Amino acid sequence: MELSPVAPLGTCAAVAPISQHRIVSTMRGTEVVSDPTNALAVEAAARRSQADEVHLAAMHRVLRAQDFGPDASTHFRLCALVSTTRDTGSGRTEARLLLRHLTFWRTVLAELAPAAAPRLHVTALDPIVGERLHDTVRPAFGDSLVPLHDEPERKRGRGYYRGAALRVSLHDDKWDVGDGGFTDWTARLLGDAKERCLISCLATERLADLTPWSDGGR
């Protein structure tokens, strides 16, 4: 879906645990979109009354108020996915949604960046989800051109993500180009603790900059 360049003031800080100081606010009760997954989660929650599952995607240029350093831009384009549905128990829902997102990113990376040594990384933040990663998610990948690595030592995003987190890297894990995980956003928006919401995104310009293109490869 196509997102507006602005969202209602407080959208990011209300949905995700992010400080409003990182967001560019306007004078008309809106803010520049800084993360498309927040806006997609709000839309997904609104659509859940009409569907058992909601899966949304967007390509959107975002703007952040924080300083990323001299060689990094504060505005960049993200390809974002958001999936939400009600939990069926024993980590089965989390495993199914993870497979959906990981398979999508595996397909994208295998087609667009095979020479950049892409990797997918997954971290279990809940023991039940960890069991499903072992017996459901990993066997579905097998020997893939884009390998799936366990990352139990991951520290970033704990508290922000719940259940499991994922990461996308290039050049044998030298550069990060994507991130994601389960959040409680739609659970809070719908007032239902059984709601599960998986978000993930990839920085498309960073992917292009770090990918060695072959003749006719674009």
Side-chain angles (χ1 to χ4, degrees), residues 70-177:
D71 297 323
S73 174
T74 57
H75 64 90
F76 44 90
R77 184 173 295 278
L78 293 176
C79 176
L81 308 179
V82 168
S83 296
T84 188
T85 189
R86 204 166 192 273
D87 183 34
T88 58
S90 300
R92 294 187 298 270
T93 300
E94 288 89 341
R96 184 162 51 80
L97 295 182
L98 272 172
L99 268 176
R100 189 183 186 101
H101 283 224
L102 290 170
T103 300
F104 176 82
W105 296 125
R106 176 181 63 179
T107 302
V108 168
L109 294 166
E111 181 175 344
L112 299 180
R119 293 182 181 181
L120 294 169
H121 310 260
V122 64
T123 301
L125 303 175
D126 175 89
I128 300 299
V129 177
E131 292 178 8
R132 299 294 80 78
L133 287 175
H134 176 72
D135 62 30
T136 303
V137 176
R138 178 166 289 286
F141 263 70
D143 295 328
S144 171
L145 176 66
V146 183
L148 179 64
H149 294 269
D150 291 318
E151 192 175 29
E153 71 280 3
R154 172 175 171 152
K155 301 299 182 183
R156 188 182 64 196
R158 291 179 181 266
Y160 188 93
Y161 296 126
R162 301 157 181 260
L166 62 93
R167 185 168 64 88
V168 183
S169 71
L170 297 180
H171 298 292
D172 295 323
D173 201 19
K174 183 178 180 181
W175 300 100
D176 284 348
V177 292

Side-chain angles (χ1 to χ4, degrees), residues 37-97:
T37 61
N38 304 140
L40 289 176
V42 173
E43 179 63 24
R47 294 190 185 193
R48 274 285 284 117
S49 62
Q50 306 296 323
D52 292 335
E53 293 188 10
V54 177
H55 305 283
L56 299 175
M59 292 280 288
H60 197 81
R61 179 164 292 278
V62 302
L63 176 64
R64 304 276 175 87
Q66 67 220 85
D67 183 6
F68 292 106
D71 297 323
S73 174
T74 57
H75 64 90
F76 44 90
R77 184 173 295 278
L78 293 176
C79 176
L81 308 179
V82 168
S83 296
T84 188
T85 189
R86 204 166 192 273
D87 183 34
T88 58
S90 300
R92 294 187 298 270
T93 300
E94 288 89 341
R96 184 162 51 80
L97 295 182

